[in-house]
Amino acid sequence: MIRINEITDKVASYMEKPDLELIQKAYIFAAEAHAGQTRLSGEPYLSHPMSVAKVLADMQLDEATVAAGLLHDTVEDTKATIDEIEELFGEEVADIVDGMTKISKMQFESKAVAQAENIRKMILAMAEDIRVLMVKLADRLHNMRTLGFQNSVKQRLISQETLDIYAPLANRLGLHRTKVELEDLCLKYTKPDVYEQIDQGVAAHHTSGNDYIEKVIGLINKMLEENSIKARVAGRTKHKYSIYAKMQQQNLGLDQIFDLIAFRIIVTSLKDCYAVLGLIHSIWKPVTGRFKDYISIPKANMYQSLHTTVIGPDGERIEIQIRTEEMNRVAEYGVAAHWQYKERGKKGSNRDAERFTWLRQILDWQRDLKDPREFMASLRFDLFQDEVYVFTPRGDIKELPEGATPVDFAYTIHSKVGDHCAGAKVNGRLVTLDTPLKNGDRVEVITDAHRNPSRDWLKYVKTARARTRIKQYIRTEERARAISLAKEMLEKEGRKLGINVAKAAKDGFLIKIAEELSFPSVDELLSQVGYARITPRKLLQRLYGMLHVGEKPVEEPKPKAQEPAPSPSEAAKTKKGEGIRITGVDDVLVRFASCCNPLPGEPIVGYISRGRGVTIHAANCPNLKELETERFVSVAWDGVEDKPYPAKIRIVCRNFKGALSQVTSLLTIDDVNIDAGTFQSNVDGNAVMEFTVEVTNLTQLYGVLDKIRNVESVTEAIRVS
C-alpha cells in the first residue's frame, strides 16, 4: 500500500511551503474512519483513498485537493459528516468532499435515472469548484485499475460509463495521461478479445519497431543539430484504444494500421516549432490533410501543438508532434498546469476562467433539461465531438463540435439570435442552414424577427444548446396548439350537453377540476385534453356535476365497438358525416393519412395531431411505430358515405401492345376511376404501372385487384403504401 510520506514528498516537490500538516491530519482521520473496512481485493479500504491522493499529487494539485482525495469517501461510507469535515479541515476541503459525496441513498425510478442525476450533480459541483471533478477522475481511475475484482457484469457497466463520461471529461480537462489509461482499461473489460489481439500486435510491433524508432530519432536529432536547434525527441507506440478507434472508424484490420508509432519533438521556443515543422517537411513527404495547427488555434482544453503525418524512412507513415516545454506540460497535466488555486486564498484570473467556457455552456443548457436521461444523452453527444473553430465577423473565435451548422453557431452567440436565424453567410457567401462549418470559417448570421425555430433544424444541429432550445420552442408551440384544440372540442361537446364551457371557465369551475385532478393550472388540464390523455367527455362529466348539483351526471357512453353491429337497413339510416367515430369525442376535425390512405372496411387507428385534429391511419401503417403511443385514440368506421377514397396500386406485367388497355378496361368495368398514374418499361421485358385509383371501400379495391391478377400477362397486382 502507498505510504503517506510518498504523497507528502510529492506535494513538497512542486509547491512552495505546502501545508503538509493538513494532508497528514486528513490521513489520520481517514485511517480512523475507515478502520475495519476492506475492499473486494481483501486490502484495507484505506488503500483506495491513499491511491486517489497519490494520483492527485501526480497531477500536481494543491494540498486541499489531495486532502479531499483522502477524505472523499468518509461522509458516504462512515459516520463522518460534512460539518465535521468543515470544522476540522476548513470550508475549502469540505466543499470538495461534499461535491464528491454520491447520491446512492436517494431513490430513483431506475438505475438510468440514478446514474444521470449523479452525473448532473457532479457537473453542477464542477461549476463551483473544478477540483471536484479532478478528485472524481482520480477516484474513477483507481477503481478502474482494481476493476478485476468485480464480477463481469459490473466490469462492463462501470467501464461503459467511464468510456461514455469520465474519459471524455478527462480529455476536456486536458488530462491526457488519465484519459489514455481510462480508455485502455475500458477496452480491456468491454472488449477483452479485441484488447488482447491489439496488445499482442502492439507488443510484436514494438519488439520489431525499436530499431526503427531509434533510427528515426537519430535522423531527427542529426537534422536538429545541423540547424542549431535545441530540442529533445521521443518515440512511442500509440495507446491501444486509439488503435481500436481507428480500426472501427476506417474498417481496418490491425495489420492495416501503419502509423502505430508517434514521435514528439520538444523545443525551447515558439518560433522553433514552425522551424522544425519546415525541416521535417523538407526531408519527408507530408501526408495530405494530416497537418493540424493547434498552436494558432488551441483546443478548448488548452492543448497546443503542431501535428503532422509524414512518409518516413522505409515508406512508413509516422505521426510527429512539435511543441514547447510549456505546451508539453499543459498537454500532460491539462488544467492542473494552469491551476488557479496554487496560491492559497487567491482566486483565479479571468484567463483561467475563460478556459472553462465549455463547462459554463453545459451548465447553461442543462438547466433547461428536466429529464436527467435527456441531459445524459446531450452530455455524451457534446463530450464526444471533435471541435472546429470558426470566427465571428468581429474576429472572435467560437468552438463548435465537428459537423456543426450555422444554426449551432447562431445559438452560441445568443439564444434569441438562434431562435430568429433566417440565413447565414460563410466567408462572405450565402449558404443553407444545414451547411457543415469548417475550421477557420468566418460566419455571419442573418436574423428575421418573424422567423422561429423549425423542427427540421433538429435533423442537423450538433450542439446540445441548440437542440435544447429548439425542442423547448417546439414543445411550447405544440402545447399552445393542444390547448386550442381542447377548447374547440370542449365547446362543441359542451353545446350538445347544454354547457357553456367558456362561462364555466370564467366562473372558476375549470380551476376546481384541475385541482381535483392534481394539475397545477387550467392550461395544463386543457393540454392533457388536447394530447388525448383525458377525453373531453370525462372533463365535461365532472363539469356537469358541478353545474347541476343533485342531478344525475352525464354518463360516459360505452364505445360503439361493443354494441351489436347494425343491420344494413339501420346502417343506411345512419347520419352521414365524416364516416369516422372517435371514442369519447364528437365533431373533431378528421383527416386521412396520405402515407397509407385507409379505406372503409379495414382496421384503423386515430392519432392526435397537435393543432390539426385526428389523423386516421391504417392499423398496419409502417409509420405508426414512429409516433407517440400516448396520443393514439380508438376510432372506427361509422356511417360511411358512398364516396370515393384514394388508394395506390402497382401492377407488373409483360410489356406488349395493349397491356395498358387490358388493365384500364378492367378498372373501368368495376367503376374504379384512375386519378393519376405512371407507366415504366424495364429492360427485362416487364412493365410497371402505378396508379392512384378511387374506390368506395376495401372490398371493391381487392375485388378489382383479384380480377387483374387473373390476367395471363400480369405477374403482380398489389396495393402499396
Side-chain angles (χ1 to χ4, degrees):
M1 191 169 76
I2 295 166
R3 302 174 67 86
I4 190 62
N5 288 348
E6 294 177 52
I7 297 170
T8 54
D9 288 348
K10 182 70 178 178
V11 174
S13 70
Y14 60 80
M15 291 195 73
E16 290 184 18
K17 298 179 182 180
D19 186 0
L20 300 181
E21 187 180 338
L22 180 71
I23 298 174
Q24 290 277 6
K25 189 177 175 182
Y27 163 68
I28 294 168
F29 185 91
E32 291 175 352
H34 292 296
Q37 296 179 349
T38 57
R39 287 171 64 81
L40 289 176
S41 61
E43 289 182 297
Y45 192 88
L46 185 63
S47 64
H48 172 62
M50 290 289 285
S51 297
V52 170
K54 179 63 166 59
V55 171
L56 294 168
D58 288 338
M59 291 179 182
Q60 299 191 1
L61 295 170
D62 63 336
E63 320 94 297
T65 313
V66 175
L70 289 165
L71 300 167
H72 76 275
D73 274 339
T74 53
V75 174
E76 183 191 358
D77 296 337
T78 75
K79 295 179 180 179
T81 65
I82 284 294
D83 291 339
E84 190 177 1
I85 298 292
E86 183 174 352
E87 183 181 345
L88 292 171
F89 302 98
E91 184 181 353
E92 196 176 5
V93 174
D95 285 346
I96 300 173
V97 174
D98 189 35
M100 271 294 296
T101 302
K102 301 183 183 73
I103 53 172
S104 55
K105 294 179 182 178
M106 295 177 67
Q107 297 298 316
F108 297 101
E109 62 184 71
S110 68
K111 287 183 179 179
V113 176
Q115 181 209 39
E117 195 56 47
N118 203 10
I119 298 298
R120 186 201 285 267
K121 184 179 178 184
M122 184 183 70
I123 295 290
L124 290 170
M126 284 163 54
E128 300 298 324
D129 194 333
I130 197 72
R131 291 175 295 181
V132 172
L133 179 56
M134 308 295 280
V135 179
K136 185 64 182 176
L137 287 171
D139 173 55
R140 181 53 62 108
L141 180 59
H142 184 250
N143 282 334
M144 287 300 300
R145 287 173 177 173
T146 56
L147 197 59
F149 295 100
Q150 294 279 4
N151 62 55
S152 58
V153 174
K154 280 198 171 183
Q155 285 175 352
R156 287 193 295 273
L157 288 173
I158 293 170
S159 295
Q160 194 59 54
E161 182 187 55
T162 303
L163 205 55
D164 287 346
I165 303 297
Y166 294 99
L169 280 172
N171 181 53
R172 278 288 201 168
L173 290 176
L175 301 170
H176 180 72
R177 289 183 178 181
T178 304
K179 173 220 173 199
V180 165
E181 187 174 353
L182 285 174
E183 287 179 340
D184 281 355
L185 287 168
C186 289
L187 183 63
K188 179 180 180 180
Y189 292 110
T190 55
K191 298 187 180 296
D193 51 338
V194 174
Y195 179 89
E196 188 65 28
Q197 178 193 355
I198 294 175
D199 189 45
Q200 292 175 1
V202 168
H205 189 279
H206 183 70
T207 304
S208 61
N210 277 340
D211 292 340
Y212 184 81
I213 291 173
E214 289 179 11
K215 178 181 178 180
V216 172
I217 290 175
L219 290 170
I220 294 174
N221 278 328
K222 182 181 178 183
M223 177 197 69
L224 294 170
E225 190 177 334
E226 289 173 352
N227 290 275
S228 302
I229 296 176
K230 290 183 179 180
R232 56 189 178 92
V233 186
R236 61 177 176 82
T237 305
K238 290 186 176 181
H239 72 284
K240 300 175 185 65
Y241 187 83
S242 68
I243 295 170
Y244 165 73
K246 188 166 186 177
M247 290 168 63
Q248 291 294 106
Q249 290 166 5
Q250 300 182 19
N251 196 26
L252 301 173
L254 183 60
D255 56 340
Q256 296 172 293
I257 303 289
F258 299 110
D259 51 345
L260 290 176
I261 302 172
F263 294 87
R264 188 171 297 154
I265 304 173
I266 313 297
V267 297
T268 57
S269 67
L270 179 61
K271 67 176 184 178
D272 285 345
C273 289
Y274 291 96
V276 170
L277 177 70
L279 292 170
I280 291 292
H281 286 178
S282 69
I283 62 171
W284 292 315
K285 183 181 178 182
V287 177
T288 306
R290 297 287 294 167
F291 168 68
K292 292 181 180 177
D293 185 350
Y294 293 118
I295 293 179
S296 298
I297 305 178
K299 288 189 176 184
N301 60 15
M302 305 169 287
Y303 178 86
Q304 287 182 289
S305 187
L306 297 176
H307 289 199
T308 186
T309 301
V310 297
I311 307 299
D314 308 325
E316 188 97 18
R317 272 192 181 199
I318 55 175
E319 182 184 297
I320 298 175
Q321 300 170 357
I322 308 165
R323 61 181 74 142
T324 64
E325 289 285 359
E326 171 63 15
M327 292 173 190
N328 191 56
R329 193 165 69 90
V330 173
E332 293 297 317
Y333 297 105
V335 64
H338 290 269
W339 195 244
Q340 55 181 315
Y341 292 93
K342 282 188 175 179
E343 295 182 56
R344 293 190 298 280
K346 291 186 179 180
K347 288 293 181 181
S349 66
N350 290 334
R351 185 183 173 192
D352 287 323
E354 287 172 6
R355 302 182 193 281
F356 304 112
T357 52
W358 62 273
L359 176 57
R360 290 201 303 274
Q361 288 169 1
I362 287 176
L363 291 168
D364 284 343
W365 56 254
Q366 74 87 28
R367 291 188 184 98
D368 297 326
L369 295 174
K370 295 180 180 178
D371 187 344
R373 288 164 293 191
E374 188 177 352
F375 167 75
M376 279 287 283
S378 298
L379 179 63
R380 287 192 184 105
F381 190 86
D382 261 18
L383 290 177
F384 271 116
Q385 298 300 304
D386 290 329
E387 306 89 9
V388 295
Y389 300 90
V390 297
F391 295 90
T392 68
R394 294 192 304 179
D396 297 328
I397 296 176
K398 295 291 181 182
E399 178 207 350
L400 293 167
E402 191 174 31
T405 64
V407 177
D408 294 294
F409 175 84
Y411 277 106
T412 65
I413 302 300
H414 196 279
S415 57
K416 289 185 178 178
V417 175
D419 287 345
H420 301 300
C421 176
K425 289 182 180 180
V426 174
N427 303 324
R429 297 178 59 187
L430 280 170
V431 298
T432 57
L433 291 179
D434 61 352
T435 303
L437 301 176
K438 298 175 183 175
N439 267 323
D441 280 346
R442 182 177 175 275
V443 187
E444 180 183 351
V445 178
I446 301 167
T447 59
D448 181 349
H450 302 291
R451 180 67 183 265
N452 292 308
S454 163
R455 184 180 289 276
D456 289 338
W457 290 2
L458 292 173
K459 297 174 183 176
Y460 49 77
V461 294
K462 298 296 182 184
T463 58
R465 180 184 181 88
R467 189 171 294 275
T468 301
R469 289 288 305 184
I470 295 164
K471 284 184 176 180
Q472 189 179 39
Y473 176 83
I474 291 170
R475 279 195 293 264
T476 302
E477 286 295 298
E478 289 181 341
R479 187 170 182 270
R481 292 194 192 107
I483 291 171
S484 176
L485 176 63
K487 288 178 178 178
E488 181 185 338
M489 291 191 293
L490 288 170
E491 285 172 5
K492 287 182 178 179
E493 280 291 289
R495 281 196 294 270
K496 294 180 181 180
L497 302 173
I499 299 174
N500 187 331
V501 177
K503 185 177 184 302
K506 188 177 180 180
D507 293 340
F509 287 102
L510 291 187
I511 294 175
K512 292 180 181 178
I513 295 175
E515 289 173 353
E516 286 181 6
L517 297 176
S518 301
F519 290 114
S521 66
V522 173
D523 279 352
E524 185 62 30
L525 172 66
L526 293 175
S527 71
Q528 297 302 305
V529 176
Y531 290 145
R533 292 167 187 152
I534 296 176
T535 65
R537 179 73 64 164
K538 181 178 180 180
L539 192 151
L540 290 170
Q541 185 178 13
R542 284 179 176 269
L543 186 56
Y544 189 93
M546 289 180 176
L547 295 172
H548 302 81
V549 179
E551 296 183 24
K552 186 177 179 181
V554 180
E555 293 184 1
E556 181 84 27
K558 294 181 180 179
K560 292 187 179 180
Q562 298 176 1
E563 297 173 3
S567 65
S569 59
E570 290 173 329
K573 297 174 185 177
T574 303
K575 182 181 177 181
K576 301 289 178 77
E578 289 290 349
I580 296 293
R581 181 180 70 249
I582 305 172
T583 303
V585 183
D586 292 329
D587 295 332
V588 176
L589 177 65
V590 171
R591 52 196 286 273
F592 292 94
S594 58
C595 53
C596 52
N597 291 315
L599 297 174
E602 72 176 314
I604 51 175
V605 295
Y607 182 75
I608 295 288
S609 300
R610 292 169 179 168
R612 293 182 295 170
V614 177
T615 302
I616 307 301
H617 289 264
N620 62 351
C621 176
N623 290 334
L624 293 178
K625 61 184 179 182
E626 306 294 333
L627 303 178
E628 298 174 31
T629 54
E630 66 270 16
R631 284 163 52 198
F632 286 124
V633 290
S634 177
V635 296
W637 296 101
D638 182 34
V640 179
E641 293 186 43
D642 188 15
K643 66 176 184 180
Y645 291 83
K648 294 179 182 178
I649 62 174
R650 180 188 296 123
I651 300 156
V652 180
C653 65
R654 290 197 306 275
N655 189 7
F656 67 96
K657 187 176 180 179
L660 180 60
S661 173
Q662 210 173 38
V663 170
T664 55
S665 62
L666 285 174
L667 293 172
T668 303
I669 292 171
D670 269 42
D671 198 25
V672 175
N673 180 50
I674 299 175
D675 189 52
T678 61
F679 183 94
Q680 181 180 344
S681 58
N682 297 330
V683 292
D684 61 0
N686 285 330
V688 179
M689 309 176 203
E690 289 195 352
F691 300 121
T692 298
V693 297
E694 293 179 336
V695 293
T696 54
N697 53 48
L698 195 67
T699 303
Q700 184 185 20
L701 174 66
Y702 283 112
V704 73
L705 285 175
D706 283 341
K707 291 179 181 178
I708 293 172
R709 290 189 194 104
N710 289 330
V711 175
E712 186 178 352
S713 62
V714 173
T715 57
E716 181 182 89
I718 60 171
R719 179 188 180 188
V720 295
S721 294

